[in-house]
Amino acid sequence: MTTLKNTLHDSNNGLDYTMVNGYYLPNLTVAAPTEQHPTGRWGRLHKRYLKEHHPIRYNQLLLSGELGSYLAKLDKQVEEQLALTVRQMRDSAVG
């Protein structure tokens, strides 16, 4: 009878696997975010939208460590667009 190794490496995809309850499971880790970015209202709303309607995209961003910077960038863009819209509405009402 052959005994199975507790860990193995697949050279085709570069992943390491560990034996758990008779199954080989990949050793996956979440990438640590390089920087912490504050996420405002619009970023939190978009995060919820991604979770509910685009879970694959959400998981890709989360696992790659890019979610925080993506949401912070989106939040900044929305704030700038909102400020521009309010300014244009104010100018058209005055003029």
Side-chain angles (χ1 to χ4, degrees), residues 9-70:
H9 178 77
D10 185 352
S11 59
N12 291 330
N13 60 18
L15 292 177
D16 294 319
Y17 294 86
T18 302
M19 174 77 74
V20 177
N21 295 329
Y23 296 97
Y24 283 109
L25 300 177
N27 298 337
L28 301 177
T29 58
V30 176
T34 55
E35 300 175 19
Q36 292 291 1
H37 298 282
T39 304
R41 175 182 185 203
W42 307 111
R44 289 190 307 271
L45 287 172
H46 191 66
K47 180 180 178 181
R48 187 172 68 187
Y49 169 78
L50 285 174
K51 276 183 168 179
E52 293 174 5
H53 300 286
H54 298 281
I56 294 173
R57 177 72 175 138
Y58 172 78
N59 284 323
Q60 286 174 335
L61 289 167
L62 181 65
L63 293 174
S64 68
E66 298 173 5
L67 182 63
S69 60
Y70 170 78

